Amino acid sequence: MKKSFILLLVAVLALVTINSTQPAKAQGKYDGVKINLITFVGPQIAEPLIRRAPEFKKLTGADVNIVTVPFSDLYQTILTDQATKTNSYQAFVLAPQWMVDYVTPGYLEDLSARVTASKDLQWDDVGQFFREFSASYAGKTYTVPLDGDFHMVYYRIDVFKQAGLKPPTTWDEYVADAKAINGMDINGQKIYGSCIAKKRSGQGFWWIQSIASGALQSLGTSQGGFFDTDTFKPLVNNEAFINALNLYKETNKYGPPNELATDVGDSRGLFTAGKCGLTLDWGDIGSLAVAPESKVKDQVGSIILPGSKKILDRKTGKLVDCD
């Protein structure tokens, strides 16, 4: 890739954090340059990029065209474009887990030196986990994080108080709480017990791993949550993962009728509209819950992911009591 592209890649991916008072010396430096940046459909990432592209042009002279595709198509669209050397896109906003598939064949440039040299990036302000995992591979930096958060459970404080419940500490308790509050009348509105995005080919695949992980690992993340680190066998054909699937399925009973078609934006909208007692999501719910249009201001609590009172015995594939 051309060096000019890499400089622009850093600038574009850092678009939402660039200060509007950046010195005027950068203005016009890239007059006439056009960048096609691809990301997925939805307000989380695409909207702020589109909104701030004109500001970016004023600062640099470069035109940024935001291209969106469904999340389910994003990985393959990027891979095909690069593998065929079509090069329709000069920058990407992507899930960091995909990075190795693009780095290995040489589709992404090593940005380490540019990140270190940048005075505007504030690299130390990015959480260590995201700097070292989400942005890096084999000790080199290939991406600039736009967003970093973890799965959490959010619950309605007022609903749980009215029901006499405490926030769940295990997934069994999560399901029991969802059942208990499902259909409750809160300020004249019946609520769902649990709202989780489960749309096929959407981002629902993340949730099942979060439900299963607490029972798959007894020694922390160094054990691996997807594969056995000794045998490299997938950690799916065992009682812990099967139980997680059953718990996940059970929540269908306490969610909206069309939950299997519900995407992330849908479940967030339901929760902030005051229609759900529980949800599983990233950190986005925190800011959305206090937005002007939110119906649940000051009534949202958050907790780390619930765990399990039983753990997988990897030798037998059975669930055993924690000791």
Side-chain angles (χ1 to χ4, degrees):
M1 295 180 180
K2 296 181 179 179
K3 289 184 178 179
S4 59
F5 162 70
I6 300 309
L7 179 59
L8 288 169
L9 177 63
V10 173
V12 172
L13 293 184
L15 180 61
V16 297
T17 60
I18 289 179
N19 193 304
S20 60
T21 59
Q22 184 174 340
K25 64 181 180 180
Q27 296 182 9
K29 186 175 182 179
Y30 297 104
D31 284 344
V33 173
K34 295 184 182 299
I35 305 164
N36 287 324
L37 184 154
I38 188 169
T39 185
F40 62 92
V41 177
Q44 297 93 341
I45 302 295
E47 188 279 327
L49 289 175
I50 294 170
R51 173 162 39 89
R52 299 197 64 177
E55 179 184 347
F56 186 76
K57 183 176 182 178
K58 290 181 181 179
L59 292 171
T60 66
D63 282 298
V64 181
N65 176 43
I66 310 301
V67 180
T68 60
V69 297
F71 180 81
S72 57
D73 297 337
L74 184 60
Y75 169 86
Q76 193 60 51
T77 300
I78 296 173
L79 190 62
T80 300
D81 181 72
Q82 294 297 293
T84 60
K85 301 187 186 309
T86 304
N87 297 325
S88 298
Y89 316 105
Q90 290 74 50
F92 325 103
V93 178
L94 48 85
Q97 288 82 353
W98 305 342
M99 180 170 47
V100 62
D101 293 351
Y102 303 140
V103 170
T104 303
Y107 302 150
L108 299 182
E109 188 80 5
D110 177 7
L111 302 177
S112 304
R114 298 183 185 278
V115 166
T116 301
S118 175
K119 296 179 181 179
D120 300 310
L121 198 53
Q122 299 179 10
W123 194 241
D124 289 341
D125 199 41
V126 178
Q128 181 180 2
F129 172 84
F130 301 108
R131 292 198 311 267
E132 297 179 359
F133 176 73
S134 298
S136 303
Y137 177 67
K140 298 179 180 180
T141 301
Y142 289 95
T143 69
V144 177
L146 278 177
D147 177 44
D149 46 17
F150 297 93
H151 276 182
M152 302 176 72
V153 163
Y154 295 87
Y155 67 96
R156 287 277 298 277
I157 296 172
D158 53 344
V159 172
F160 270 64
K161 182 178 180 179
Q162 183 170 321
L165 297 173
K166 295 181 179 180
T169 60
T170 67
W171 287 109
D172 287 306
E173 290 178 2
Y174 179 100
V175 173
D177 291 345
K179 180 179 180 180
I181 63 180
N182 188 53
M184 282 181 59
D185 189 296
I186 304 296
N187 300 322
Q189 176 173 268
K190 290 189 180 298
I191 65 167
Y192 302 115
S194 169
C195 296
I196 300 177
K198 297 178 180 177
K199 182 179 179 181
R200 184 183 294 275
S201 298
Q203 299 186 55
F205 60 88
W206 299 107
W207 318 131
I208 185 58
Q209 199 65 31
S210 286
I211 295 172
S213 61
L216 291 174
Q217 301 167 340
S218 61
L219 300 176
T221 56
S222 62
Q223 274 191 298
F226 294 95
F227 299 91
D228 186 304
T229 51
D230 292 325
T231 64
F232 213 62
K233 290 182 179 179
L235 291 173
V236 292
N237 189 21
N238 56 68
E239 287 187 358
F241 201 85
I242 292 170
N243 184 62
L245 287 169
N246 287 329
L247 289 169
Y248 186 59
K249 180 182 177 181
E250 183 74 10
T251 62
N252 293 344
K253 299 178 181 179
Y254 316 119
N258 62 338
E259 191 163 51
L260 294 180
T262 299
D263 212 343
V264 175
D266 304 317
S267 61
R268 290 172 180 170
L270 286 168
F271 189 83
T272 56
K275 297 181 179 181
C276 307
L278 283 161
T279 190
L280 170 61
D281 207 320
W282 286 285
D284 304 76
I285 287 287
S287 56
L288 293 172
V290 297
E293 61 274 18
S294 171
K295 304 296 183 183
V296 292
K297 291 181 182 178
D298 304 320
Q299 294 298 337
V300 178
S302 61
I303 56 172
I304 63 173
L305 289 181
S308 172
K309 292 184 177 180
K310 292 182 178 292
I311 196 74
L312 174 67
D313 182 328
R314 295 194 176 188
K315 293 182 179 179
T316 64
K318 304 293 184 180
L319 275 172
V320 297
D321 291 334
C322 293
D323 56 25

